């Protein structure tokens, strides 16, 4: 039994001045909320990919990444194919006014976007990925970026 093909993905934990995190609702797999981001293109590094994805998905421009704050390795289906996805998560301070959906070029099955408070994340019964995101957000809001990226499941 061989391992699924490797897929590298970059994601952003976008937090605004009101201490809320931006999540996108994706229509696939029964619907779920997740941080913005996506797969790396050939010869692209993680920070470059996450900035490109923010532009493609949300029309974001002039975003500054603070630090890599988490990573995750997960086997799951992407476009119907099982892959082993290696994700790196980057913190960025973003405001709603930094986003312009009219400039978005690839919305990738995104059905909605929403800014969530930490309490809303903790209380929701909806599916949110990655698991442990609320704890990561709590740590970021209390202590800032970790010295080493947090490992998520």
């Amino acid at each position: 039994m061989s391992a699924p093909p490797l897929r590298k993905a970059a994601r952003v934990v976008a937090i605004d001045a009101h201490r809320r995190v931006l999540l996108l609702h994706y229509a696939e797999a029964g619907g779920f909320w997740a941080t913005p981001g996506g797969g790396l293109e050939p010869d692209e590094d993680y920070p470059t990919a996450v900035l490109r994805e923010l532009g493609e998905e949300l029309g974001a421009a002039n975003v500054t990444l603070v630090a890599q704050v988490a990573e995750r390795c997960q086997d799951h289906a992407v476009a119907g194919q099982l892959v082993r996805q290696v994700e790196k998560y980057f913190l960025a301070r973003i405001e709603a006014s930094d986003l312009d959906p009219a400039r978005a070029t690839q919305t990738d099955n995104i059905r909605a976007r929403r800014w969530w408070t930490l309490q809303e994340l903790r209380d929701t019964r909806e599916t949110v990925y990655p698991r442990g995101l609320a704890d990561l957000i709590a740590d970021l809001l209390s202590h800032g970026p970790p010295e080493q990226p947090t490992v998520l499941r």
Side-chain angles (χ1 to χ4, degrees), residues 28-140:
E28 59 203 64
F32 61 90
W33 292 92
T35 58
L40 274 66
E41 293 181 354
D43 299 323
E44 190 174 44
D45 64 18
Y46 284 91
T48 302
V50 80
L51 293 173
R52 175 184 50 75
E53 288 286 339
L54 283 170
E56 290 176 354
E57 293 180 343
L58 299 165
N62 301 318
V63 174
T64 301
L65 302 179
V66 176
Q68 182 188 343
V69 295
E71 56 190 42
R72 176 176 92 141
C73 182
Q74 184 79 26
D75 291 356
H76 66 95
V78 173
Q81 179 185 8
L82 184 65
V83 298
R84 174 157 296 151
Q85 185 154 298
V86 176
E87 299 173 335
K88 293 188 180 184
Y89 291 76
F90 294 84
L91 174 63
R93 303 292 181 179
I94 299 177
E95 298 302 321
S97 61
D98 296 328
L99 309 177
D100 183 358
R103 287 193 313 242
T105 59
Q106 294 182 11
T107 55
D108 299 335
N109 293 321
I110 297 167
R111 296 296 176 242
R113 69 172 195 232
R114 178 177 161 199
W115 292 93
W116 297 64
T117 66
L118 178 58
Q119 194 60 52
E120 288 170 334
L121 267 180
R122 291 192 188 280
D123 292 345
T124 190
R125 294 186 183 274
E126 296 187 65
T127 302
V128 176
Y129 292 118
R131 301 204 189 288
L133 181 62
D135 292 336
L136 175 65
I137 300 300
D139 287 345
L140 290 171

